[in-house]
Amino acid sequence: MFEQVKLTYDFNALEPHIDELTMQTHYGKHHAGYTNNLNSALEKLPGLQGKSIEEILINLGEIEDAALQRTVRNNGGGYYNHNLYFATLSPNGGGEPRGDLGSQIKKDFGSFEELQKTLTAHAAGVFGSGWAWLSTDRDGKLVVSSTPNQDNPLMVEGGKLMPIFGIDVWEHAYYLKYKNVRMDYINAIFNVVDWDKVAEFYQKAL
Ligand code: MN
């Protein structure tokens, strides 16, 4: 049984950048739904018992039944993506990454501002629902990309890339507060990114 990441802050703690009702609905309905649907699908796939969510997503192609594979892709992706998303937000977030992650960003993008611009462009550029990602390869090189739906770089790159931060640009992530103005949400989210947490995921991925 997969479980949602426990929030270390209250639903209203990310105000005014992300509003309380969006957080309640996003975590309590959307993320809970993906998690329940994933667990139900896995009951029909005893061969995947005990595997990590990362292993399952990297090896989606091994699920023979096409409908079940699609269900695990959508809901397993939704489960994993939101665990990462909610874990890397914090009322004490914002600022810039320090340490190894900060140095690597300068090496790969020139500056944090350039990384932020690239992530913003990818998030703004998703047509319809999807995600913008910051990922690392096994050598620590950072890559920005975007995916549609609940896909993520684990699926796309066959395990070569490990996501360490993602911006959810599904309308459910921002529409209650920002309506159609996705860019305001993207700009706002940088005020609540917990870069120390992102740095932890970076170290873990290497
Ligand atoms: Mn979402």
Side-chain angles (χ1 to χ4, degrees), residues 5-38:
V5 67
K6 297 275 176 281
L7 295 188
T8 57
Y9 47 85
D10 293 330
F11 286 134
N12 65 2
L14 305 180
E15 296 259 12
H17 309 293
I18 303 181
D19 61 287
E20 181 174 14
L21 183 58
T22 294
M23 284 297 298
Q24 271 173 0
T25 315
H26 203 178
Y27 181 85
K29 305 289 184 193
H30 293 277
H31 191 199
Y34 296 124
T35 305
N36 291 337
N37 291 340
L38 170 65

PDB file of all heavy atoms in Angstrom, residues 5-38:
ATOM      1  N   VAL A   5       2.535  11.298   1.006  1.00  0.00           N
ATOM      2  CA  VAL A   5       3.525  11.950   1.862  1.00  0.00           C
ATOM      3  C   VAL A   5       2.767  12.785   2.907  1.00  0.00           C
ATOM      4  O   VAL A   5       1.719  13.359   2.619  1.00  0.00           O
ATOM      5  CB  VAL A   5       4.453  12.842   1.004  1.00  0.00           C
ATOM      6  CG1 VAL A   5       3.720  14.024   0.396  1.00  0.00           C
ATOM      7  CG2 VAL A   5       5.662  13.299   1.788  1.00  0.00           C
ATOM      8  N   LYS A   6       3.276  12.774   4.143  1.00  0.00           N
ATOM      9  CA  LYS A   6       2.637  13.595   5.194  1.00  0.00           C
ATOM     10  C   LYS A   6       3.069  15.044   5.016  1.00  0.00           C
ATOM     11  O   LYS A   6       4.254  15.320   4.860  1.00  0.00           O
ATOM     12  CB  LYS A   6       3.069  13.104   6.577  1.00  0.00           C
ATOM     13  CG  LYS A   6       2.625  11.673   6.871  1.00  0.00           C
ATOM     14  CD  LYS A   6       1.203  11.611   7.420  1.00  0.00           C
ATOM     15  CE  LYS A   6       0.725  10.176   7.620  1.00  0.00           C
ATOM     16  NZ  LYS A   6       0.288   9.499   6.367  1.00  0.00           N
ATOM     17  N   LEU A   7       2.115  15.948   5.058  1.00  0.00           N
ATOM     18  CA  LEU A   7       2.462  17.371   4.951  1.00  0.00           C
ATOM     19  C   LEU A   7       3.104  17.840   6.259  1.00  0.00           C
ATOM     20  O   LEU A   7       2.648  17.480   7.336  1.00  0.00           O
ATOM     21  CB  LEU A   7       1.213  18.217   4.680  1.00  0.00           C
ATOM     22  CG  LEU A   7       0.483  18.003   3.349  1.00  0.00           C
ATOM     23  CD1 LEU A   7      -0.608  19.064   3.182  1.00  0.00           C
ATOM     24  CD2 LEU A   7       1.447  18.044   2.179  1.00  0.00           C
ATOM     25  N   THR A   8       4.147  18.641   6.127  1.00  0.00           N
ATOM     26  CA  THR A   8       4.827  19.177   7.317  1.00  0.00           C
ATOM     27  C   THR A   8       4.358  20.597   7.621  1.00  0.00           C
ATOM     28  O   THR A   8       4.960  21.294   8.423  1.00  0.00           O
ATOM     29  CB  THR A   8       6.351  19.184   7.096  1.00  0.00           C
ATOM     30  OG1 THR A   8       6.629  19.962   5.912  1.00  0.00           O
ATOM     31  CG2 THR A   8       6.881  17.778   6.899  1.00  0.00           C
ATOM     32  N   TYR A   9       3.273  21.014   6.930  1.00  0.00           N
ATOM     33  CA  TYR A   9       2.736  22.367   7.114  1.00  0.00           C
ATOM     34  C   TYR A   9       1.226  22.283   6.945  1.00  0.00           C
ATOM     35  O   TYR A   9       0.699  21.294   6.429  1.00  0.00           O
ATOM     36  CB  TYR A   9       3.343  23.322   6.069  1.00  0.00           C
ATOM     37  CG  TYR A   9       3.340  22.763   4.646  1.00  0.00           C
ATOM     38  CD1 TYR A   9       2.221  22.898   3.833  1.00  0.00           C
ATOM     39  CD2 TYR A   9       4.435  22.046   4.164  1.00  0.00           C
ATOM     40  CE1 TYR A   9       2.201  22.361   2.560  1.00  0.00           C
ATOM     41  CE2 TYR A   9       4.422  21.501   2.882  1.00  0.00           C
ATOM     42  CZ  TYR A   9       3.310  21.666   2.085  1.00  0.00           C
ATOM     43  OH  TYR A   9       3.281  21.116   0.824  1.00  0.00           O
ATOM     44  N   ASP A  10       0.514  23.324   7.409  1.00  0.00           N
ATOM     45  CA  ASP A  10      -0.945  23.350   7.311  1.00  0.00           C
ATOM     46  C   ASP A  10      -1.387  23.731   5.894  1.00  0.00           C
ATOM     47  O   ASP A  10      -0.627  24.323   5.142  1.00  0.00           O
ATOM     48  CB  ASP A  10      -1.526  24.357   8.304  1.00  0.00           C
ATOM     49  CG  ASP A  10      -1.293  23.913   9.743  1.00  0.00           C
ATOM     50  OD1 ASP A  10      -1.246  22.690   9.974  1.00  0.00           O
ATOM     51  OD2 ASP A  10      -1.148  24.796  10.612  1.00  0.00           O
ATOM     52  N   PHE A  11      -2.632  23.386   5.593  1.00  0.00           N
ATOM     53  CA  PHE A  11      -3.172  23.714   4.258  1.00  0.00           C
ATOM     54  C   PHE A  11      -3.100  25.212   3.953  1.00  0.00           C
ATOM     55  O   PHE A  11      -2.968  25.608   2.805  1.00  0.00           O
ATOM     56  CB  PHE A  11      -4.628  23.251   4.149  1.00  0.00           C
ATOM     57  CG  PHE A  11      -4.791  21.763   4.007  1.00  0.00           C
ATOM     58  CD1 PHE A  11      -5.739  21.077   4.769  1.00  0.00           C
ATOM     59  CD2 PHE A  11      -4.020  21.023   3.102  1.00  0.00           C
ATOM     60  CE1 PHE A  11      -5.909  19.699   4.633  1.00  0.00           C
ATOM     61  CE2 PHE A  11      -4.184  19.650   2.964  1.00  0.00           C
ATOM     62  CZ  PHE A  11      -5.126  18.989   3.736  1.00  0.00           C
ATOM     63  N   ASN A  12      -3.207  26.036   4.995  1.00  0.00           N
ATOM     64  CA  ASN A  12      -3.200  27.491   4.753  1.00  0.00           C
ATOM     65  C   ASN A  12      -1.795  28.101   4.862  1.00  0.00           C
ATOM     66  O   ASN A  12      -1.635  29.307   4.730  1.00  0.00           O
ATOM     67  CB  ASN A  12      -4.165  28.203   5.714  1.00  0.00           C
ATOM     68  CG  ASN A  12      -3.719  28.093   7.159  1.00  0.00           C
ATOM     69  OD1 ASN A  12      -2.667  27.521   7.452  1.00  0.00           O
ATOM     70  ND2 ASN A  12      -4.515  28.618   8.070  1.00  0.00           N
ATOM     71  N   ALA A  13      -0.795  27.249   5.083  1.00  0.00           N
ATOM     72  CA  ALA A  13       0.547  27.775   5.391  1.00  0.00           C
ATOM     73  C   ALA A  13       1.254  28.379   4.187  1.00  0.00           C
ATOM     74  O   ALA A  13       2.196  29.142   4.349  1.00  0.00           O
ATOM     75  CB  ALA A  13       1.415  26.673   5.996  1.00  0.00           C
ATOM     76  N   LEU A  14       0.810  28.013   2.985  1.00  0.00           N
ATOM     77  CA  LEU A  14       1.487  28.526   1.791  1.00  0.00           C
ATOM     78  C   LEU A  14       0.812  29.787   1.248  1.00  0.00           C
ATOM     79  O   LEU A  14       1.210  30.306   0.202  1.00  0.00           O
ATOM     80  CB  LEU A  14       1.554  27.448   0.701  1.00  0.00           C
ATOM     81  CG  LEU A  14       2.199  26.121   1.129  1.00  0.00           C
ATOM     82  CD1 LEU A  14       2.214  25.132  -0.038  1.00  0.00           C
ATOM     83  CD2 LEU A  14       3.610  26.321   1.662  1.00  0.00           C
ATOM     84  N   GLU A  15      -0.222  30.251   1.971  1.00  0.00           N
ATOM     85  CA  GLU A  15      -0.873  31.517   1.596  1.00  0.00           C
ATOM     86  C   GLU A  15       0.151  32.650   1.648  1.00  0.00           C
ATOM     87  O   GLU A  15       1.021  32.620   2.514  1.00  0.00           O
ATOM     88  CB  GLU A  15      -2.011  31.824   2.578  1.00  0.00           C
ATOM     89  CG  GLU A  15      -3.142  30.816   2.562  1.00  0.00           C
ATOM     90  CD  GLU A  15      -4.370  31.293   1.761  1.00  0.00           C
ATOM     91  OE1 GLU A  15      -4.240  32.301   1.040  1.00  0.00           O
ATOM     92  OE2 GLU A  15      -5.430  30.663   1.881  1.00  0.00           O
ATOM     93  N   PRO A  16       0.078  33.662   0.828  1.00  0.00           N
ATOM     94  CA  PRO A  16      -0.928  33.874  -0.221  1.00  0.00           C
ATOM     95  C   PRO A  16      -0.549  33.218  -1.560  1.00  0.00           C
ATOM     96  O   PRO A  16      -1.279  33.364  -2.524  1.00  0.00           O
ATOM     97  CB  PRO A  16      -0.907  35.402  -0.376  1.00  0.00           C
ATOM     98  CG  PRO A  16       0.537  35.761  -0.131  1.00  0.00           C
ATOM     99  CD  PRO A  16       1.023  34.770   0.911  1.00  0.00           C
ATOM    100  N   HIS A  17       0.568  32.519  -1.594  1.00  0.00           N
ATOM    101  CA  HIS A  17       1.081  32.016  -2.878  1.00  0.00           C
ATOM    102  C   HIS A  17       0.243  30.848  -3.391  1.00  0.00           C
ATOM    103  O   HIS A  17      -0.087  30.771  -4.571  1.00  0.00           O
ATOM    104  CB  HIS A  17       2.546  31.625  -2.719  1.00  0.00           C
ATOM    105  CG  HIS A  17       3.348  32.715  -2.098  1.00  0.00           C
ATOM    106  ND1 HIS A  17       3.579  33.907  -2.742  1.00  0.00           N
ATOM    107  CD2 HIS A  17       3.914  32.842  -0.863  1.00  0.00           C
ATOM    108  CE1 HIS A  17       4.280  34.712  -1.943  1.00  0.00           C
ATOM    109  NE2 HIS A  17       4.494  34.083  -0.788  1.00  0.00           N
ATOM    110  N   ILE A  18      -0.074  29.920  -2.479  1.00  0.00           N
ATOM    111  CA  ILE A  18      -1.011  28.846  -2.818  1.00  0.00           C
ATOM    112  C   ILE A  18      -2.080  28.847  -1.733  1.00  0.00           C
ATOM    113  O   ILE A  18      -1.772  28.790  -0.537  1.00  0.00           O
ATOM    114  CB  ILE A  18      -0.304  27.473  -2.898  1.00  0.00           C
ATOM    115  CG1 ILE A  18       0.829  27.540  -3.932  1.00  0.00           C
ATOM    116  CG2 ILE A  18      -1.303  26.386  -3.271  1.00  0.00           C
ATOM    117  CD1 ILE A  18       1.583  26.245  -4.107  1.00  0.00           C
ATOM    118  N   ASP A  19      -3.335  28.965  -2.151  1.00  0.00           N
ATOM    119  CA  ASP A  19      -4.424  29.179  -1.197  1.00  0.00           C
ATOM    120  C   ASP A  19      -4.868  27.888  -0.530  1.00  0.00           C
ATOM    121  O   ASP A  19      -4.644  26.793  -1.037  1.00  0.00           O
ATOM    122  CB  ASP A  19      -5.609  29.849  -1.906  1.00  0.00           C
ATOM    123  CG  ASP A  19      -6.135  28.964  -3.016  1.00  0.00           C
ATOM    124  OD1 ASP A  19      -5.466  28.843  -4.058  1.00  0.00           O
ATOM    125  OD2 ASP A  19      -7.199  28.344  -2.824  1.00  0.00           O
ATOM    126  N   GLU A  20      -5.527  28.065   0.615  1.00  0.00           N
ATOM    127  CA  GLU A  20      -5.918  26.941   1.457  1.00  0.00           C
ATOM    128  C   GLU A  20      -6.860  25.967   0.747  1.00  0.00           C
ATOM    129  O   GLU A  20      -6.667  24.748   0.813  1.00  0.00           O
ATOM    130  CB  GLU A  20      -6.593  27.478   2.728  1.00  0.00           C
ATOM    131  CG  GLU A  20      -7.027  26.376   3.686  1.00  0.00           C
ATOM    132  CD  GLU A  20      -7.564  26.934   4.998  1.00  0.00           C
ATOM    133  OE1 GLU A  20      -7.845  28.152   5.069  1.00  0.00           O
ATOM    134  OE2 GLU A  20      -7.705  26.136   5.942  1.00  0.00           O
ATOM    135  N   LEU A  21      -7.865  26.492   0.051  1.00  0.00           N
ATOM    136  CA  LEU A  21      -8.835  25.601  -0.594  1.00  0.00           C
ATOM    137  C   LEU A  21      -8.164  24.772  -1.693  1.00  0.00           C
ATOM    138  O   LEU A  21      -8.466  23.579  -1.863  1.00  0.00           O
ATOM    139  CB  LEU A  21     -10.011  26.415  -1.157  1.00  0.00           C
ATOM    140  CG  LEU A  21     -11.131  25.589  -1.794  1.00  0.00           C
ATOM    141  CD1 LEU A  21     -11.716  24.583  -0.785  1.00  0.00           C
ATOM    142  CD2 LEU A  21     -12.250  26.493  -2.328  1.00  0.00           C
ATOM    143  N   THR A  22      -7.259  25.390  -2.433  1.00  0.00           N
ATOM    144  CA  THR A  22      -6.515  24.632  -3.451  1.00  0.00           C
ATOM    145  C   THR A  22      -5.710  23.519  -2.800  1.00  0.00           C
ATOM    146  O   THR A  22      -5.708  22.379  -3.279  1.00  0.00           O
ATOM    147  CB  THR A  22      -5.576  25.577  -4.245  1.00  0.00           C
ATOM    148  OG1 THR A  22      -6.380  26.488  -4.996  1.00  0.00           O
ATOM    149  CG2 THR A  22      -4.678  24.794  -5.195  1.00  0.00           C
ATOM    150  N   MET A  23      -5.043  23.820  -1.692  1.00  0.00           N
ATOM    151  CA  MET A  23      -4.237  22.802  -1.011  1.00  0.00           C
ATOM    152  C   MET A  23      -5.112  21.663  -0.494  1.00  0.00           C
ATOM    153  O   MET A  23      -4.778  20.487  -0.650  1.00  0.00           O
ATOM    154  CB  MET A  23      -3.458  23.435   0.145  1.00  0.00           C
ATOM    155  CG  MET A  23      -2.265  24.249  -0.299  1.00  0.00           C
ATOM    156  SD  MET A  23      -1.008  23.242  -1.148  1.00  0.00           S
ATOM    157  CE  MET A  23      -0.562  22.117   0.175  1.00  0.00           C
ATOM    158  N   GLN A  24      -6.239  22.030   0.131  1.00  0.00           N
ATOM    159  CA  GLN A  24      -7.165  21.004   0.653  1.00  0.00           C
ATOM    160  C   GLN A  24      -7.635  20.074  -0.459  1.00  0.00           C
ATOM    161  O   GLN A  24      -7.666  18.858  -0.304  1.00  0.00           O
ATOM    162  CB  GLN A  24      -8.413  21.687   1.232  1.00  0.00           C
ATOM    163  CG  GLN A  24      -8.304  22.052   2.676  1.00  0.00           C
ATOM    164  CD  GLN A  24      -9.524  22.868   3.117  1.00  0.00           C
ATOM    165  OE1 GLN A  24     -10.438  23.138   2.328  1.00  0.00           O
ATOM    166  NE2 GLN A  24      -9.518  23.266   4.367  1.00  0.00           N
ATOM    167  N   THR A  25      -8.025  20.687  -1.562  1.00  0.00           N
ATOM    168  CA  THR A  25      -8.592  19.907  -2.659  1.00  0.00           C
ATOM    169  C   THR A  25      -7.507  19.106  -3.360  1.00  0.00           C
ATOM    170  O   THR A  25      -7.689  17.930  -3.697  1.00  0.00           O
ATOM    171  CB  THR A  25      -9.271  20.862  -3.672  1.00  0.00           C
ATOM    172  OG1 THR A  25     -10.049  21.815  -2.967  1.00  0.00           O
ATOM    173  CG2 THR A  25     -10.142  20.085  -4.641  1.00  0.00           C
ATOM    174  N   HIS A  26      -6.373  19.740  -3.554  1.00  0.00           N
ATOM    175  CA  HIS A  26      -5.277  19.120  -4.291  1.00  0.00           C
ATOM    176  C   HIS A  26      -4.742  17.899  -3.542  1.00  0.00           C
ATOM    177  O   HIS A  26      -4.595  16.811  -4.100  1.00  0.00           O
ATOM    178  CB  HIS A  26      -4.167  20.169  -4.493  1.00  0.00           C
ATOM    179  CG  HIS A  26      -3.251  19.900  -5.626  1.00  0.00           C
ATOM    180  ND1 HIS A  26      -2.230  20.748  -5.966  1.00  0.00           N
ATOM    181  CD2 HIS A  26      -3.177  18.865  -6.514  1.00  0.00           C
ATOM    182  CE1 HIS A  26      -1.575  20.263  -7.000  1.00  0.00           C
ATOM    183  NE2 HIS A  26      -2.137  19.120  -7.352  1.00  0.00           N
ATOM    184  N   TYR A  27      -4.479  18.094  -2.261  1.00  0.00           N
ATOM    185  CA  TYR A  27      -3.916  17.002  -1.448  1.00  0.00           C
ATOM    186  C   TYR A  27      -5.009  16.007  -1.030  1.00  0.00           C
ATOM    187  O   TYR A  27      -4.834  14.799  -1.144  1.00  0.00           O
ATOM    188  CB  TYR A  27      -3.244  17.595  -0.201  1.00  0.00           C
ATOM    189  CG  TYR A  27      -2.603  16.558   0.696  1.00  0.00           C
ATOM    190  CD1 TYR A  27      -1.306  16.105   0.458  1.00  0.00           C
ATOM    191  CD2 TYR A  27      -3.292  16.040   1.806  1.00  0.00           C
ATOM    192  CE1 TYR A  27      -0.723  15.157   1.288  1.00  0.00           C
ATOM    193  CE2 TYR A  27      -2.711  15.094   2.638  1.00  0.00           C
ATOM    194  CZ  TYR A  27      -1.424  14.660   2.373  1.00  0.00           C
ATOM    195  OH  TYR A  27      -0.840  13.718   3.193  1.00  0.00           O
ATOM    196  N   GLY A  28      -6.140  16.551  -0.585  1.00  0.00           N
ATOM    197  CA  GLY A  28      -7.169  15.716   0.012  1.00  0.00           C
ATOM    198  C   GLY A  28      -8.051  14.996  -0.993  1.00  0.00           C
ATOM    199  O   GLY A  28      -8.648  13.967  -0.666  1.00  0.00           O
ATOM    200  N   LYS A  29      -8.160  15.528  -2.206  1.00  0.00           N
ATOM    201  CA  LYS A  29      -9.007  14.895  -3.229  1.00  0.00           C
ATOM    202  C   LYS A  29      -8.172  14.345  -4.389  1.00  0.00           C
ATOM    203  O   LYS A  29      -8.189  13.156  -4.673  1.00  0.00           O
ATOM    204  CB  LYS A  29     -10.038  15.897  -3.779  1.00  0.00           C
ATOM    205  CG  LYS A  29     -10.904  16.541  -2.730  1.00  0.00           C
ATOM    206  CD  LYS A  29     -11.909  15.579  -2.130  1.00  0.00           C
ATOM    207  CE  LYS A  29     -12.826  16.306  -1.149  1.00  0.00           C
ATOM    208  NZ  LYS A  29     -13.605  15.367  -0.329  1.00  0.00           N
ATOM    209  N   HIS A  30      -7.454  15.218  -5.074  1.00  0.00           N
ATOM    210  CA  HIS A  30      -6.712  14.769  -6.266  1.00  0.00           C
ATOM    211  C   HIS A  30      -5.614  13.751  -5.899  1.00  0.00           C
ATOM    212  O   HIS A  30      -5.576  12.652  -6.434  1.00  0.00           O
ATOM    213  CB  HIS A  30      -6.096  15.966  -7.003  1.00  0.00           C
ATOM    214  CG  HIS A  30      -7.126  16.864  -7.622  1.00  0.00           C
ATOM    215  ND1 HIS A  30      -7.706  16.608  -8.849  1.00  0.00           N
ATOM    216  CD2 HIS A  30      -7.699  18.004  -7.178  1.00  0.00           C
ATOM    217  CE1 HIS A  30      -8.576  17.557  -9.128  1.00  0.00           C
ATOM    218  NE2 HIS A  30      -8.598  18.421  -8.139  1.00  0.00           N
ATOM    219  N   HIS A  31      -4.731  14.157  -4.987  1.00  0.00           N
ATOM    220  CA  HIS A  31      -3.620  13.260  -4.637  1.00  0.00           C
ATOM    221  C   HIS A  31      -4.134  11.986  -3.960  1.00  0.00           C
ATOM    222  O   HIS A  31      -3.657  10.882  -4.244  1.00  0.00           O
ATOM    223  CB  HIS A  31      -2.623  13.995  -3.726  1.00  0.00           C
ATOM    224  CG  HIS A  31      -1.334  13.264  -3.525  1.00  0.00           C
ATOM    225  ND1 HIS A  31      -0.490  13.537  -2.479  1.00  0.00           N
ATOM    226  CD2 HIS A  31      -0.741  12.262  -4.224  1.00  0.00           C
ATOM    227  CE1 HIS A  31       0.573  12.737  -2.545  1.00  0.00           C
ATOM    228  NE2 HIS A  31       0.434  11.958  -3.594  1.00  0.00           N
ATOM    229  N   ALA A  32      -5.141  12.150  -3.114  1.00  0.00           N
ATOM    230  CA  ALA A  32      -5.725  10.973  -2.467  1.00  0.00           C
ATOM    231  C   ALA A  32      -6.331  10.034  -3.507  1.00  0.00           C
ATOM    232  O   ALA A  32      -6.216   8.805  -3.409  1.00  0.00           O
ATOM    233  CB  ALA A  32      -6.793  11.406  -1.459  1.00  0.00           C
ATOM    234  N   GLY A  33      -6.951  10.613  -4.526  1.00  0.00           N
ATOM    235  CA  GLY A  33      -7.562   9.809  -5.584  1.00  0.00           C
ATOM    236  C   GLY A  33      -6.520   9.020  -6.370  1.00  0.00           C
ATOM    237  O   GLY A  33      -6.688   7.814  -6.607  1.00  0.00           O
ATOM    238  N   TYR A  34      -5.453   9.678  -6.773  1.00  0.00           N
ATOM    239  CA  TYR A  34      -4.388   8.964  -7.499  1.00  0.00           C
ATOM    240  C   TYR A  34      -3.854   7.809  -6.645  1.00  0.00           C
ATOM    241  O   TYR A  34      -3.604   6.707  -7.146  1.00  0.00           O
ATOM    242  CB  TYR A  34      -3.221   9.917  -7.828  1.00  0.00           C
ATOM    243  CG  TYR A  34      -3.552  11.055  -8.766  1.00  0.00           C
ATOM    244  CD1 TYR A  34      -3.325  12.381  -8.408  1.00  0.00           C
ATOM    245  CD2 TYR A  34      -4.082  10.807 -10.038  1.00  0.00           C
ATOM    246  CE1 TYR A  34      -3.626  13.434  -9.265  1.00  0.00           C
ATOM    247  CE2 TYR A  34      -4.380  11.867 -10.906  1.00  0.00           C
ATOM    248  CZ  TYR A  34      -4.148  13.168 -10.508  1.00  0.00           C
ATOM    249  OH  TYR A  34      -4.433  14.203 -11.359  1.00  0.00           O
ATOM    250  N   THR A  35      -3.682   8.093  -5.354  1.00  0.00           N
ATOM    251  CA  THR A  35      -3.098   7.091  -4.458  1.00  0.00           C
ATOM    252  C   THR A  35      -4.025   5.878  -4.332  1.00  0.00           C
ATOM    253  O   THR A  35      -3.579   4.730  -4.454  1.00  0.00           O
ATOM    254  CB  THR A  35      -2.834   7.739  -3.076  1.00  0.00           C
ATOM    255  OG1 THR A  35      -2.032   8.904  -3.261  1.00  0.00           O
ATOM    256  CG2 THR A  35      -2.116   6.769  -2.150  1.00  0.00           C
ATOM    257  N   ASN A  36      -5.327   6.133  -4.127  1.00  0.00           N
ATOM    258  CA  ASN A  36      -6.290   5.032  -4.014  1.00  0.00           C
ATOM    259  C   ASN A  36      -6.377   4.239  -5.304  1.00  0.00           C
ATOM    260  O   ASN A  36      -6.419   2.994  -5.285  1.00  0.00           O
ATOM    261  CB  ASN A  36      -7.683   5.568  -3.662  1.00  0.00           C
ATOM    262  CG  ASN A  36      -7.723   6.128  -2.261  1.00  0.00           C
ATOM    263  OD1 ASN A  36      -6.910   5.763  -1.404  1.00  0.00           O
ATOM    264  ND2 ASN A  36      -8.652   7.037  -2.008  1.00  0.00           N
ATOM    265  N   ASN A  37      -6.413   4.939  -6.428  1.00  0.00           N
ATOM    266  CA  ASN A  37      -6.511   4.249  -7.719  1.00  0.00           C
ATOM    267  C   ASN A  37      -5.264   3.413  -7.998  1.00  0.00           C
ATOM    268  O   ASN A  37      -5.351   2.323  -8.563  1.00  0.00           O
ATOM    269  CB  ASN A  37      -6.715   5.262  -8.848  1.00  0.00           C
ATOM    270  CG  ASN A  37      -8.081   5.924  -8.782  1.00  0.00           C
ATOM    271  OD1 ASN A  37      -9.002   5.404  -8.156  1.00  0.00           O
ATOM    272  ND2 ASN A  37      -8.209   7.082  -9.407  1.00  0.00           N
ATOM    273  N   LEU A  38      -4.096   3.941  -7.626  1.00  0.00           N
ATOM    274  CA  LEU A  38      -2.857   3.167  -7.789  1.00  0.00           C
ATOM    275  C   LEU A  38      -2.922   1.893  -6.949  1.00  0.00           C
ATOM    276  O   LEU A  38      -2.652   0.798  -7.450  1.00  0.00           O
ATOM    277  CB  LEU A  38      -1.646   4.014  -7.365  1.00  0.00           C
ATOM    278  CG  LEU A  38      -0.321   3.251  -7.265  1.00  0.00           C
ATOM    279  CD1 LEU A  38       0.127   2.740  -8.641  1.00  0.00           C
ATOM    280  CD2 LEU A  38       0.766   4.121  -6.624  1.00  0.00           C
TER     281      LEU A  38
END
